[in-house]
Amino acid sequence: MKKIGIIRCQQTEDICPGTACFKVATKGKLAFEEYGECEIIGFVTCGGCPGKRAVPRAKILVDRGVEIIAFASCIFNGTPIGFPCPNAEIMKNSIQKKVGENIVILNYTH
């Protein structure tokens, strides 16, 4: 069972409890289909715009055993507010650089 960490948009935390992210990860559906059922190790926000806090938070997740970091669908897809993060790609690249190429990063959850 893969261990995952999910990074979500801080601006959506008051309107989305993360239920869909948890459901698809634990059941191995959608973005997690090739990995099967996953164990969620952590669920954190990006820290607010422009997302700089996502980098150290991702490192903490990896230090706690995470093998896959998934951006919640609110970041790249803009779900549910209909506004994707303009800093998503920069955030992803910065996280990958910090945690290394062995950690898988997914652009969405559901």
Side-chain angles (χ1 to χ4, degrees):
M1 183 177 286
K2 294 286 187 182
K3 296 180 180 189
I4 67 154
I6 300 173
I7 299 175
R8 70 181 303 170
C9 170
Q10 185 172 336
Q11 292 187 22
T12 64
E13 71 181 348
D14 61 338
I15 58 173
C16 177
T19 309
C21 290
F22 279 75
K23 184 181 271 188
V24 297
T26 57
K27 294 186 181 218
K29 302 292 182 185
L30 299 174
F32 304 96
E33 199 162 340
E34 79 175 87
Y35 306 104
E37 295 178 355
C38 295
E39 177 185 0
I40 299 170
I41 301 299
F43 187 72
V44 299
T45 73
C46 63
C49 299
K52 289 181 183 178
R53 290 186 184 146
V55 178
R57 290 174 182 187
K59 178 70 168 89
I60 289 168
L61 291 170
V62 170
D63 290 346
R64 294 185 184 187
V66 162
E67 302 162 276
I68 300 169
I69 293 173
F71 282 103
S73 293
C74 51
I75 303 244
F76 275 89
N77 298 344
T79 311
I81 59 174
F83 187 81
C85 175
N87 301 301
E89 208 53 59
I90 294 168
M91 220 182 336
K92 179 181 178 180
N93 293 338
S94 297
I95 288 170
Q96 193 77 77
K97 184 177 178 182
K98 182 74 171 180
V99 300
E101 295 297 323
N102 292 333
I103 301 299
V104 174
I105 299 182
L106 304 176
N107 288 351
Y108 71 101
T109 51
H110 58 87

